[in-house]
Amino acid sequence: MLRKSSVPALMLALVFPIAVLAQAPSANRPGAATGIIAPLSAGETLDFPAVDERVPRPDAFLGYPLGTRFTHWERIVSYLEQVAAASPRVKMWEYGRTYEGRPLMLVAIGSPANIQRLDEIRQEHQRLADTTNLPEPERDRITSRAPLVVWLAYGVHGNEASSAEAAMGVAYLLAAGQGDGSGSIGRMLENMVVLIDPLSNPDGRERYVSGFEQRRGAEPNPSRSAAEHWEAWPGGRQNHYLIDLNRDWAWASQQETRSRIAAYRALEPQVYVDFHEMGSESSYFFPPAAEPIHPQIDRRVVSWLETFGRGNAEVFDELGWVYFKGENYDLFYPGYGDSYPSLRGAVGMTYEMAGGGRGGLALALPDGTTLTLADRVARHLTTSMTTLHTASANGRRLLEDFVANRLKAASEPRAYLWAADQPESRALADLLALHGIRVQQTTHATEIAARSLTDDDSRLEDGELGGDSVKRFPPGTYVVSTTQPLGNLVEALLERESPMSEAFVERQRQRLEQNLNAQFYDITAWSLPYAFNVDTWVAPSAPAGLRSLTEVAGGIEGGKDEAGLGFLVPPQGLATYRFAAELQKRDIRHRVAMGSLGSLSGAGGDLPAGTLFIPRRGNPENVGDVLQKLLADGGLTARAINSSFEMKGISLGSNEVEGVKPVRAGLVSGMGVDPTSFGFLWHLLDEQIRVPYDRLDLAQLAQVDLSELDVLILPSGNYEDALGTRGREAVDTWVKAGGVLIAIGDSIEWLQKHEMTGIKSWEPEKKAEGGEHEDPEGGQTEAEKSLESRPIFTPGAILATQMRPNHPLTMGLRTSPKVLYEGTVVLKTTGDPRKDVLIAEGDPVVAGFAWPEAEERLSGSLLVGMETRGKGGVVLFAQDPAFRLFWRATTPLLLNAILYGPSTGVGGRF
């Protein structure tokens, strides 16, 4: 049995090699680095040898040992700047900014020689990353001499607050550690560059830490009921816009993510570790990961998880610290900070420590022990250092496997093609290019054998290329081939399906029947062609005659001076809505076509419903100049028009071309509202579209003058307790007076309960009078009976739909969009075509996973509904239409309701 008194020495022996310890000053002599971490709850103190005395210890700089209090971000930055100034091993720079203006910092630590040639190392790693264009002798030369790059990322979830404290300890130990042994810190840094991202989400963490400090007393209170262990809404997990940055890697909707991807691509690490916290009653998790593991993650990456896991386990076993592996935390969804690097060829890993938002400084656990911040910091510090030693010991093999992985990814030819004239085509191409994926365009019309990826009738088995037919693609068609180093990432993001093992699904089925939560950790489908509503084709190889992406030049076809009558802007994706919002803010009069305008003689191309008409008459004389700039900024095209007589559809003077009224929206937030649902909508309105809106607090809604609003948006949430009778009556009165109310997800239940909507939810069939259904097969099991009546969670599947054309909500949509469905909300159709806007098809699941019982309920269900209420209207979305800000397919229905709803009859006229 391990004696407590032996823990510090044993910890040092494992984290620092014996040779280092032999040369370190005694802990009893001046200069010993004792007490940089507070004593642990079990009585141990992790003391480290004083090494380079010129490097400031964190406890000396901060005035307290790590783990005794939370450190604000500006003090973390200041400390790391002091370390960088004191040590030739350290270089620090800013790689981006948060939405609240806080710097995102990256600390590189290596031998002085490696730090001096960091730019050269960056160039070498970029050449290795583009390994298909690197001759084999040059690959071998670089892998034989280039240092390994390991990225340690701390604090992507702001209320998982221990890791940023640990980051300071890791930086200190790497900067100050000395010794000449084969495994010493100095020798380790000769063949490795360590990148420390000390806090990936400063905005969220500052929200958490400030809230904690405001609620705590003079001393930490470990009582689980104490206020300091309960976060106020919305909590500190997400960033400023309440977006989960650990689920944003693949979609890059946030500026923090985009900055991090640019920094990642600059050095392309071989090992990436994401440090997290989980529930306070857990222990510690490190790999191997749980099932499912995405099939595009190379077997080499998966095999390394065992190596790193064993390295951590040896240290934890010696220290008597418990842990778990192979449970809960999978490598399936491509937007995590472990799976995304893994799909790029790195060894991506998640480490999870007990604590989370409830952890505070000290928390009493049900078993009678106390979990302290020092406990959490010590464990993250331990796995950080152990991981670096494991990586250093295997550096050359890790580099070789990284190269082999990317070579293999490029060895299986397959090409994805989509025409450039679809509304979100360019947005899809730009997102892939942001990741470093090579996107090209055809230089001329091309014929090639291909099959449809997005046609619902082409549901083939995974990997099958059957059903090919020769298809003609126009010039400018986007082409993405898998014959590139990021071929694995290409397939993971674009393919329809990401299959899971039958054994895993069967285990989840057993949990479902036992009324346990099935362990699908996140959504099971995300195919970007569906998300962007872009018809995409798959070919066995890329066609000839390709060029690189060129800038999209927006502007007015025919010239602004040729628009005697005005300008027409056909729907071109979300950018068109941002353009419309700008027109409103600049008081430029415009109209929207509720039906097709047909084609314009001499201009070519249809002008579908959703086309904007900006008349010259009634607008400022310089309207053409203003539009030219707005169009160029948005990459949009408009058509100058002198006469509308030759149009084949509705006329510009028709009542079906409605004048658009200025709109002000209200977006509800606060306790009871789901923070992530609110965050999607907040970012959409504030950053992507820039619609005039007011953020409203749910608890104060009864006191708000709703008459100033045209649209009120209720994100998913529980509105019953916070809103109350007065608030409900105020909202209902406002709707009946002409307002447009938009309800999403669980907020619909509140409307149903108070009869503010006639649209009903699915309910189980009532049993026969005898108390049982007829069962010719000989009786049901208890599990089957239970499944018939209780909600069944669908873990993010893609559903095929049928939309009502010529409806105010479906303007601008060429085809019926797919819906990303997650959860249990199932609405019933009404049979009224004016109300049933978007319906799930009879066999709805086209990608991802749903239990058969859930799919049966979803078949023919209502996904988007609309009904009048007095002079106003109510719009219902069973799912978040802008889910995680990458699901653009259904976002137009929401924006049609917001920007045009009060004008086009979403209220009482329709």
Side-chain angles (χ1 to χ4, degrees):
M1 183 173 178
L2 192 68
R3 297 193 308 272
K4 288 184 178 179
S5 61
S6 70
V7 170
L10 178 57
M11 175 65 190
L12 289 171
L14 288 164
V15 173
F16 290 93
I18 298 300
V20 178
L21 295 177
Q23 299 176 36
S26 166
N28 297 319
R29 295 200 301 268
T34 58
I36 67 167
I37 298 178
L40 308 187
S41 59
E44 304 96 338
T45 299
L46 298 185
D47 295 335
F48 298 92
V51 277
D52 187 344
E53 295 182 9
R54 294 170 298 177
V55 180
R57 301 195 325 247
D59 57 318
F61 177 86
L62 298 172
Y64 52 85
L66 295 175
T68 54
R69 59 182 294 182
F70 290 117
T71 308
H72 285 279
W73 176 226
E74 67 272 9
R75 296 213 68 207
I76 296 175
V77 173
S78 295
Y79 171 68
L80 294 173
E81 287 174 341
Q82 292 289 315
V83 172
S87 173
R89 295 177 178 177
V90 183
K91 182 176 182 179
M92 179 175 173
W93 66 93
E94 178 181 317
Y95 70 84
R97 287 261 162 176
T98 71
Y99 285 105
E100 295 177 14
R102 295 185 176 91
L104 297 167
M105 308 302 297
L106 202 58
V107 182
I109 305 180
S111 67
N114 280 338
I115 292 301
Q116 287 179 2
R117 70 180 194 96
L118 191 59
D119 285 341
E120 179 186 341
I121 293 171
R122 180 184 293 114
Q123 293 171 11
E124 288 178 333
H125 274 260
Q126 288 178 345
R127 295 182 70 195
L128 277 183
D130 191 19
T131 187
T132 53
N133 293 320
L134 194 63
E136 185 174 353
E138 185 68 2
R139 288 201 304 267
D140 294 342
R141 185 188 70 81
I142 294 176
T143 54
S144 67
R145 66 183 292 268
L148 187 74
V149 174
V150 179
W151 186 312
L152 305 179
Y154 301 91
V156 72
H157 290 147
N159 61 357
E160 299 172 6
S162 68
S163 65
E165 309 293 332
M168 289 187 282
V170 174
Y172 168 69
L173 295 176
L174 293 177
Q178 292 185 339
D180 298 324
S182 61
S184 69
I185 295 292
R187 188 65 61 84
M188 182 175 72
L189 294 178
E190 290 177 0
N191 59 25
M192 180 170 61
V193 172
V194 181
L195 299 174
I196 296 177
D197 188 347
L199 184 53
S200 303
N201 180 12
D203 290 353
R205 189 176 188 274
E206 284 300 296
R207 190 164 63 243
Y208 170 76
V209 171
S210 296
F212 174 82
E213 291 176 340
Q214 291 163 9
R215 291 188 298 277
R216 63 159 288 184
E219 296 294 332
N221 185 347
S223 170
R224 299 181 70 82
S225 59
E228 63 198 67
H229 298 297
W230 298 90
E231 293 183 81
W233 193 94
R237 178 181 176 87
Q238 297 94 350
N239 75 341
H240 171 78
Y241 280 108
L242 307 187
I243 304 302
D244 188 334
L245 296 178
N246 191 44
R247 283 157 175 77
D248 192 50
W249 276 93
W251 326 130
S253 73
Q254 301 301 286
Q255 67 184 35
E256 294 96 332
T257 308
R258 293 190 293 273
S259 296
R260 192 161 294 117
I261 288 173
Y264 186 106
R265 288 178 57 193
L267 279 156
E268 205 71 54
Q270 286 72 54
V271 178
Y272 188 100
V273 185
D274 213 16
F275 290 85
H276 288 260
E277 291 185 56
M278 53 187 164
S280 60
E281 297 178 33
S282 296
S283 57
Y284 199 101
F285 169 85
F286 45 70
E291 287 190 74
I293 294 174
H294 197 283
Q296 290 301 326
I297 294 177
D298 190 84
R299 60 174 177 79
R300 297 173 183 84
V301 169
V302 178
S303 68
W304 279 110
L305 301 180
E306 181 83 12
T307 302
F308 282 97
R310 286 187 179 278
N312 288 325
E314 288 177 11
V315 177
F316 271 50
D317 288 343
E318 292 286 353
L319 290 168
W321 291 346
V322 295
Y323 54 89
F324 67 96
K325 58 183 176 57
E327 299 177 38
N328 297 351
Y329 302 103
D330 60 35
L331 275 175
F332 192 66
Y333 171 73
Y336 295 142
D338 54 4
S339 54
Y340 176 83
S342 298
L343 288 164
R344 297 185 71 98
V347 180
M349 295 179 286
T350 283
Y351 292 173
E352 297 267 358
M353 173 61 205
R358 296 202 62 192
L361 296 180
L363 179 67
L365 299 179
D367 65 1
T369 62
T370 299
L371 176 69
T372 68
L373 177 61
D375 295 326
R376 294 145 63 192
V377 173
R379 284 159 176 78
H380 271 331
L381 177 60
T382 300
T383 54
S384 297
M385 298 303 297
T386 305
T387 296
L388 294 178
H389 280 287
T390 302
S392 177
N394 295 279
R396 201 58 48 213
R397 287 177 53 214
L398 283 162
L399 273 169
E400 291 169 352
D401 276 1
F402 173 78
V403 172
N405 183 344
R406 291 169 81 96
L407 282 171
K408 181 178 182 297
S411 66
E412 299 175 0
R414 193 181 183 94
Y416 300 85
L417 304 92
W418 63 94
D421 62 351
Q422 302 175 82
E424 298 291 356
S425 285
R426 182 58 188 224
L428 175 54
D430 286 343
L431 173 58
L432 296 174
L434 181 145
H435 291 296
I437 292 171
R438 186 172 60 250
V439 184
Q440 298 172 292
Q441 290 181 270
T442 55
T443 57
H444 54 273
T446 303
E447 290 188 348
I448 187 172
R451 70 161 174 92
S452 173
L453 176 74
T454 47
D455 184 351
D456 298 342
D457 294 330
S458 64
R459 302 182 197 178
L460 304 175
E461 294 298 320
D462 181 66
E464 211 174 319
L465 277 175
D468 292 16
S469 59
V470 175
K471 178 172 173 60
R472 184 177 179 83
F473 293 94
T477 293
Y478 294 105
V479 181
V480 176
S481 173
T482 58
T483 56
Q484 57 179 300
L486 292 177
N488 288 336
L489 184 60
V490 169
E491 289 209 43
L493 297 181
L494 295 182
E495 262 305 323
R496 180 202 298 265
E497 286 280 11
S498 298
M500 296 174 284
S501 72
E502 293 183 4
F504 171 78
V505 173
E506 177 56 31
R507 287 196 297 273
Q508 305 319 307
R509 179 71 193 188
Q510 293 172 8
R511 292 181 61 85
L512 177 74
E513 292 178 348
Q514 295 167 15
N515 205 11
L516 300 172
N517 290 328
Q519 293 178 333
F520 295 95
Y521 203 77
D522 212 278
I523 59 174
T524 61
W526 48 78
S527 176
L528 285 178
Y530 285 137
F532 282 64
N533 203 20
V534 170
D535 289 336
T536 302
W537 296 71
V538 186
S541 61
L546 300 176
R547 59 173 171 82
S548 300
L549 285 180
T550 56
E551 293 293 327
V552 175
I556 301 171
E557 296 177 1
K560 60 184 176 62
D561 297 327
E562 302 300 319
L565 190 59
F567 309 86
L568 294 170
V569 182
Q572 295 161 71
L574 297 194
T576 312
Y577 294 99
R578 182 164 181 163
F579 174 79
E582 280 295 324
L583 295 181
Q584 174 179 323
K585 285 186 280 189
R586 294 168 185 264
D587 294 324
I588 295 176
R589 294 176 56 210
H590 57 289
R591 296 172 173 269
V592 62
M594 296 176 64
S596 173
L597 298 171
S599 59
L600 186 62
S601 178
D606 288 338
L607 295 162
T611 295
L612 300 178
F613 171 48
I614 301 101
R616 185 174 286 280
R617 185 179 179 88
N619 276 315
E621 288 187 9
N622 69 337
V623 66
D625 295 323
V626 174
L627 295 181
Q628 181 68 35
K629 184 177 187 313
L630 292 178
L631 293 164
D633 290 345
L636 298 167
T637 57
R639 302 179 193 176
I641 181 172
N642 275 312
S643 171
S644 63
F645 189 80
E646 297 300 327
M647 285 183 171
K648 306 302 181 185
I650 59 176
S651 301
L652 292 181
S654 167
N655 289 337
E656 296 301 303
V657 183
E658 283 278 4
V660 178
K661 306 170 187 175
V663 169
R664 187 148 200 99
L667 177 60
V668 175
S669 64
M671 185 61 72
V673 176
D674 180 84
T676 55
S677 180
F678 167 78
F680 305 150
L681 298 162
W682 187 20
H683 189 273
L684 178 72
L685 299 186
D686 201 49
E687 285 284 332
Q688 290 182 268
I689 310 300
R690 299 186 178 176
V691 178
Y693 76 99
D694 294 328
R695 175 175 169 172
L696 307 173
D697 189 83
L698 178 59
Q700 305 302 320
L701 211 55
Q703 284 74 47
V704 172
D705 184 2
L706 295 178
S707 66
E708 297 179 355
L709 302 176
D710 305 283
V711 178
L712 184 63
I713 309 166
L714 306 181
S716 187
N718 179 3
Y719 287 72
E720 188 61 34
D721 295 334
L723 198 52
T725 302
R726 283 186 59 204
R728 174 180 57 79
E729 290 176 347
V731 171
D732 199 23
T733 299
W734 170 82
V735 174
K736 291 176 179 176
V740 175
L741 179 66
I742 300 172
I744 295 170
D746 291 334
S747 68
I748 295 172
E749 182 179 353
W750 175 75
L751 295 180
Q752 293 169 332
K753 180 176 179 179
H754 295 286
E755 299 182 343
M756 295 172 65
T757 176
I759 294 174
K760 306 297 183 183
S761 293
W762 173 90
E763 293 180 350
E765 294 182 10
K766 292 184 179 180
K767 294 183 178 180
E769 192 169 330
E772 298 288 343
H773 290 293
E774 291 185 9
D775 187 3
E777 299 299 323
Q780 295 174 299
T781 66
E782 289 301 317
E784 290 170 336
K785 293 176 184 177
S786 174
L787 284 173
E788 281 187 353
S789 58
R790 61 183 169 91
I792 302 175
F793 185 83
T794 296
I798 298 174
L799 307 184
T801 68
Q802 295 176 347
M803 74 175 184
R804 184 188 166 187
N806 302 318
H807 191 282
L809 296 183
T810 60
M811 295 185 303
L813 292 172
R814 298 183 178 189
T815 57
S816 190
K818 303 298 186 294
V819 167
L820 183 58
Y821 179 88
E822 181 188 42
T824 61
V825 175
V826 181
L827 302 178
K828 296 168 64 175
T829 55
T830 67
D832 186 338
R834 296 171 299 176
K835 298 179 179 180
D836 299 341
V837 180
L838 194 68
I839 300 171
E841 286 192 348
D843 181 17
V845 177
V846 297
F849 184 83
W851 299 111
E853 296 87 349
E855 185 169 9
E856 182 180 355
R857 297 174 192 179
L858 288 168
S859 175
S861 66
L862 182 64
L863 298 168
V864 180
M866 192 209 80
E867 57 188 339
T868 59
R869 187 164 181 81
K871 296 180 180 179
V874 177
V875 180
L876 307 181
F877 289 89
Q879 291 289 296
D880 277 294
F883 183 79
R884 291 188 185 164
L885 298 169
F886 84 100
W887 201 264
R888 295 184 173 219
T890 44
T891 304
L893 289 96
L894 172 66
L895 295 176
N896 285 338
I898 296 172
L899 280 172
Y900 309 136
S903 304
T904 59
V906 170
R909 186 182 70 81
F910 184 73

